[in-house]
Amino acid sequence: MLRTDFLHLSDCFNAQKSTVRVPDIDPKYKIAVLASKQDHCLFDLLHRWQEGRLPVDIHCVISNHDRPVDNHVMRFLKRHEIPYHYLPTTSGNKREQEILELIEGTDFVVLARYMQVMSESFLKSYGKDIINIHHGLLPSFKGGSPSRQAFNAGVKLIGATSHFVTPELDAGPIIEQMVERVSHRDTLHSFVVKSENLEKQCLAEAIKSYCELRVLPYEVMKTVVF
């Protein structure tokens, strides 16, 4: 009976094999984290890694923003001997070849508020999954300053979306979404604080689900999360 049920599932989702991970036995995923100026998602991931709440090993952190040596992120990375690579970007040079060399051998990549669009050639060259966090409920409020866009629009719910990266901006299959209610009583500052908290939680939950093999892509642009 069980075999019949699994065969039915494999037919439904065109699955050729299944994999079961045992967290306490299987090796951790080797990841690279890319981030820009904002630290909240990056620092949250570092703390979760330190506490053993995510089954990953952080191979390196790459940023297009230079951080001072006494920055809290830099002190954390130095204490735990995690390499930090500063690669300033321009509109004509996204440093993609150098990034590819640094992330070689990783199992997947996390964009923790990395504010650069990855080219199609970069995605093809890497060939593995890249998980992004978007500060908004996709497909609304794409592009720059989404919190201000949403605040000015007077929305009543704010959210965060974690998704796979595809060549189209902020349009990859969605892994996780979270929401919180806001009102006219919120200032732009409280609005942003609530939004950043959602981003941290949403990204961490998406990574956890992905590492636990609970994210099943299907129909090109959708996912099932068990």
Side-chain angles (χ1 to χ4, degrees), residues 5 9 32 42 49 55 58 79 82 84 86 101-102 105 107 114 117 137-139 141 152 157 167-168 177-178 217 223:
D5 290 342
L9 281 173
L42 170 60
W49 165 80
I58 301 177
R79 184 164 65 250
I82 299 174
Y84 180 85
Y86 167 50
E101 293 172 3
L102 291 171
D107 295 307
Y114 186 65
V117 179
L137 274 180
L138 291 174
F141 308 118
N152 291 338
L157 287 173
E168 186 178 353
Q177 290 186 300
M178 294 183 178
T223 64

Side-chain angles (χ1 to χ4, degrees), residues 45-107:
L45 290 180
L46 292 173
H47 269 296
R48 291 175 190 265
W49 165 80
Q50 181 185 37
E51 294 171 356
R53 295 162 62 188
L54 295 172
V56 300
D57 280 327
I58 301 177
H59 173 63
C60 67
V61 173
I62 303 169
S63 180
N64 59 342
H65 178 74
D66 192 17
R67 289 173 167 81
V69 292
D70 60 346
N71 173 272
H72 61 295
V73 169
M74 298 301 288
R75 292 198 303 269
F76 184 100
L77 295 176
K78 182 178 180 180
R79 184 164 65 250
H80 293 281
E81 299 182 337
I82 299 174
Y84 180 85
H85 303 282
Y86 167 50
L87 297 178
T89 58
T90 65
S91 58
N93 184 5
K94 300 298 181 73
R95 312 294 290 271
E96 290 188 342
Q97 185 56 46
E98 291 158 275
I99 293 173
L100 283 171
E101 293 172 3
L102 291 171
I103 65 177
E104 184 178 1
T106 56
D107 295 307

